[in-house]
Amino acid sequence: MAILSKTLAGQVALVTGANRGIGRQISIDLAAGGAKVILSARSIDSLIPVEQESEGLGGRCERVALNVTDQSVVEAAVQAIVARHGKIDLLVNNAGIGAGSENPWDLPVEEWWAVHEVNVKGPYICTQAVMRHMTRQRAGRIIDVGSMVAAYPNPTASPYAASKAALFRWNSCLAEGAKAFGVSAFVISPGLVATDMTDRPQFADIPADQWVPIEKTGELVVALASGKADVLAGRFIHALDDLDSLVKQADKIVAENLQTLSIQMLHDLF
Ligand code: NDP
C-alpha cells in the first residue's frame, strides 16, 4: 500500500491479533505510517515475522503476549506500555473468532458464548485498560473491528453475528461517553477479506468481485489514526467507504443518524 509519509510519527498503538490476517496488515501499515506499534497476540513468537516485515519498512514495533480475554494480562500489558512510552494513543481491537452451525440453535452453549468472550468481552477488557490512561491524557482513539454481519441475520454464523452486533452497540456507547474525554471511538468493517477466517467451504463460491483487498482495512485504520475523521467518532465505517466524502458530509450523517445500527420502524412511536 502507498503510505507515503510518516503521518503517525510519535503515536503509540496497540493492535490485538496482530500475528496474522487483518491484524497483521493493520500493524504493518501503522508501523509504515510512523507509529510505534505494540504487536500483540497469544503467542509472542508468532509476531516475529510481522515485526520483521514492519521494521523492513522502517517501522518500529514491540511484541507482547496477550490473550484479550485475560483481564489481568491485558491490564499489565497496557500498564507496561504506558510506563515505557508515557502514553497510549491508539487501540485497535482486531482479535476475533467465528463459529457457526447448520441451525442457529445447534451450537453447544459454551462454543456460542466463547465467540462473545473474544469478540465482545475482549474489546471491553482492552478498552477499559486503555481508557484509564486515555481519560487522563484527554486524548486517544479506539478502533473496533466489526462486521456488516452485525446488521443482517446470519443463521449459520449466529454467535459471530450476535457478537458483532453487540460490539457495534458497545462501540457507540463508548464513543458517546468518551468524546468528553477527548477520545474518539470507531467501529469499522473490513468487508469480506481472504484470511484464515474465511478460508472455509462456505466462502468458496463467493464471486471474486465481492472480496475486499486486505490493504483497504490497513489504509482505513491509518486514516482514522491520523485524526482526520474524528468528526465521525461513533459511526460505522466500511473499508470501501470514501472516508473524505464521509467527513465532508459529517453533519448530514449525524443529523440523519446514518452509518450506524438502528431499528427501522414502520410507525413513529414518539
Ligand atoms: P483471522 O482468523 O485471520 O485472525 C484472527 C486473529 O485473532 C488472530 O490473530 C488470532 O490469534 C486472534 N485471536 C483470536 N482469539 C484471540 C484471543 N483470545 N486473544 C488474542 N487474539 C486472539 O481473522 P481475520 O484477520 O479475518 O479477522 C480479524 C478481525 O476482522 C476479526 O475481528 C474479524 O471478526 C474481523 N472481520 C473479518 C472479516 C473477514 O472477511 N476476514 C470480515 C469482517 C470482519 P491466534 O493466531 O492466536 O489465533
Side-chain angles (χ1 to χ4, degrees):
M1 77 162 284
I3 294 174
L4 299 175
S5 61
K6 304 262 183 202
T7 52
L8 307 181
Q11 287 208 31
V12 178
L14 170 63
V15 182
T16 67
N19 58 333
R20 57 192 173 97
I22 292 167
R24 172 189 167 279
Q25 185 69 43
I26 290 171
S27 300
I28 290 169
D29 289 347
L30 286 171
K36 174 99 188 187
V37 183
I38 317 302
L39 307 165
S40 77
R42 288 184 288 189
S43 148
I44 197 162
D45 287 349
S46 69
L47 293 163
I48 292 171
V50 189
E51 181 179 46
Q52 288 172 343
E53 195 170 341
S54 300
E55 291 180 351
L57 295 168
R60 293 173 312 133
C61 297
E62 288 172 10
R63 290 180 287 125
V64 62
L66 191 153
N67 183 329
V68 295
T69 65
D70 191 331
Q71 186 179 359
S72 56
V73 167
V74 170
E75 286 177 354
V78 171
Q79 193 64 47
I81 291 166
V82 175
R84 231 174 10 258
H85 301 289
K87 61 173 185 163
I88 182 159
D89 299 292
L90 175 69
L91 165 67
V92 184
N93 282 314
N94 163 79
I97 59 171
S101 49
E102 192 176 341
N103 296 308
W105 54 85
D106 281 344
L107 209 61
V109 171
E110 296 72 23
E111 288 178 43
W112 199 86
W113 192 244
V115 177
H116 294 71
E117 291 272 334
V118 179
N119 294 2
V120 187
K121 187 178 169 189
Y124 183 76
I125 288 174
C126 295
T127 298
Q128 187 172 73
V130 303
M131 280 302 279
R132 293 206 177 102
H133 304 283
M134 289 181 176
T135 50
R136 274 204 295 272
Q137 295 166 189
R138 302 202 79 81
R141 295 188 181 88
I142 296 170
I143 300 173
D144 286 332
V145 180
S147 170
M148 287 288 274
V149 166
Y152 305 100
N154 193 326
T156 57
S158 74
Y160 185 71
S163 71
K164 290 298 184 181
L167 180 69
F168 203 129
R169 181 49 74 226
W170 151 245
N171 183 277
S172 57
C173 295
L174 168 68
E176 276 301 304
K179 270 180 200 167
F181 294 89
V183 177
S184 301
F186 306 89
V187 60
I188 66 169
S189 171
L192 187 60
V193 177
T195 64
D196 294 342
M197 185 178 275
T198 52
D199 188 14
R200 292 165 202 273
Q202 64 263 41
F203 296 98
D205 296 332
I206 297 182
D209 63 359
Q210 289 186 30
W211 293 83
V212 178
I214 199 166
E215 291 80 7
K216 289 280 179 193
T217 307
E219 285 171 23
L220 175 58
V221 170
V222 169
L224 293 177
S226 77
K228 68 189 274 189
D230 281 351
V231 69
L232 295 170
R235 299 289 152 181
F236 169 80
I237 304 170
H238 194 279
L240 292 178
D241 265 323
D242 178 342
L243 190 62
D244 292 332
S245 168
L246 293 185
V247 169
K248 276 193 198 122
Q249 300 187 74
D251 289 345
K252 175 184 164 77
I253 288 168
V254 172
E256 297 180 19
N257 200 27
L258 304 174
Q259 304 287 135
T260 191
L261 196 62
S262 63
I263 298 173
Q264 308 294 317
M265 306 283 284
L266 181 59
H267 301 292
D268 281 339
L269 299 185
F270 305 105

